[in-house]
Amino acid sequence: MIEFIGTDLDGTLLNSYSKISSENIQAIRKVVNSGVAFAICSGRTLHSVNKFFEKDLKIAGYRVVLNGAVVVDPKGQKIIDQPLDSKIVNEILKRSEFSQFKVVLDGINDIHIYDPNHSWTTYYEGMSRHHLKADSVGDLIKLNQQKDFDVYKVCFSCPPQRLHELQKKLESFTSLPITISRSGNYYFEINSQDVTKLSALQQISELSKIPMRNFMCFGDYGNDLEMIKNVGYGVAMKNAIESVKDAAWRITDTNNQNGVANMIERVLNDKFN
């Protein structure tokens, strides 16, 4: 019995144009109207995820954002709020200050970007008023010291030829109390220790009294892996990386073939087993 559906955004619910298809929208509305709880589970900020609820889906649902560091319930109440410790952020930034990687600090709504190659976009969308330039890692260090700005996620990315170098740098952080996940070929995200999409869903399960065995979740990349592996019905997109497919209960169509909608329709018609 499916009582809860959660889905990643990029590479999952969104197509290659970063849009939610009309098929996905209609399927989600139908399943919510049938009484199933719904969540978007994303590495994006709250502002970015809210836009999809307000402009596209137009339903109530959970916002599991910043890889689970913040969760807002369908009534708009924040039920999880776990920023990184500023001392840990400072240590990460100090150790990488002269490495010349792209570094992004995610607040709850705003993103601060330092890019030595002067490309100020994030991996999932272009510039907006919530994307702010930093001229150096030193600027990010100063920002982190401000009392009115909480850092929920530190992100690193690099050109393909520097991937091994970036991975070695990230390995040097593993003694810190953090969680490192991979959300793209050359994109890595750091959250507080034990902060994951799965940990957020476990807390939702506890509060809502919906057992995890009745959760169906969709994903495609490394930061979805634990979620897909540990819910009752973990569904990988056909475009997912192999480790996510291997962990999944089922594989659905790609994000460009309305894979989320196709599986939800099977749920609604009781043909998903």
Side-chain angles (χ1 to χ4, degrees), residues 14-147:
L14 302 183
N15 60 25
S16 294
Y17 300 99
S18 293
K19 303 291 185 185
I20 307 179
S21 70
S22 58
E23 290 88 348
N24 280 340
I25 290 170
Q26 293 307 317
I28 289 167
R29 287 178 183 168
K30 261 200 282 187
V31 81
V32 168
N33 287 337
S34 76
V36 174
F38 177 76
I40 287 178
C41 308
S42 176
R44 293 190 184 216
T45 62
L46 181 60
H47 165 76
S48 182
V49 169
N50 277 340
K51 286 191 301 182
F52 292 105
F53 275 100
E54 292 161 6
K55 295 182 179 179
D56 298 300
L57 298 174
K58 298 179 181 177
I59 57 166
Y62 290 89
R63 282 82 159 154
V64 177
V65 301
L66 298 156
N67 288 333
V70 173
V71 176
V72 176
D73 73 12
K75 295 179 180 177
Q77 299 299 309
K78 195 187 292 182
I79 58 175
I80 294 177
D81 189 344
Q82 290 186 263
L84 280 154
D85 186 301
S86 62
K87 291 177 183 174
I88 293 170
V89 175
N90 188 68
E91 181 68 20
I92 291 168
L93 294 176
K94 285 285 190 184
R95 291 193 199 179
S96 53
E97 187 168 8
F98 303 107
S99 299
Q100 294 294 294
F101 296 120
K102 185 172 184 174
V103 186
V104 179
L105 296 189
D106 284 9
I108 192 166
N109 290 312
D110 294 326
I111 297 170
H112 295 259
I113 306 164
Y114 165 66
D115 189 347
N117 297 314
H118 306 293
S119 170
W120 307 109
T121 59
T122 60
Y123 76 103
Y124 56 77
E125 61 184 352
M127 292 299 295
S128 81
R129 65 187 177 87
H130 290 276
H131 294 182
L132 305 167
K133 293 181 187 178
D135 292 325
S136 66
V137 174
D139 283 352
L140 297 180
I141 291 171
K142 289 176 186 173
L143 174 69
N144 177 56
Q145 293 167 346
Q146 294 180 12
K147 300 296 184 189

Side-chain angles (χ1 to χ4, degrees), residues 250 261-273:
R250 290 284 190 277
N262 296 342
M263 182 58 74
I264 288 175
E265 289 293 344
R266 290 173 64 185
V267 170
L268 289 165
N269 294 321
D270 202 26
K271 294 179 178 178
F272 63 93
N273 286 314

Side-chain angles (χ1 to χ4, degrees), residues 2 5 13 24 32 34 50 59 62 77 80 85 94 105 131 149 153 169 174 183 193 210 215 222 227 239 244 264:
I2 307 297
I5 289 177
L13 184 61
N24 280 340
V32 168
S34 76
N50 277 340
I59 57 166
Y62 290 89
Q77 299 299 309
I80 294 177
D85 186 301
K94 285 285 190 184
L105 296 189
H131 294 182
F149 183 74
K153 204 172 59 159
K169 176 60 68 175
T174 54
S183 55
Q193 190 170 35
I210 300 173
F215 278 49
M227 172 177 77
N239 53 285
V244 173
I264 288 175

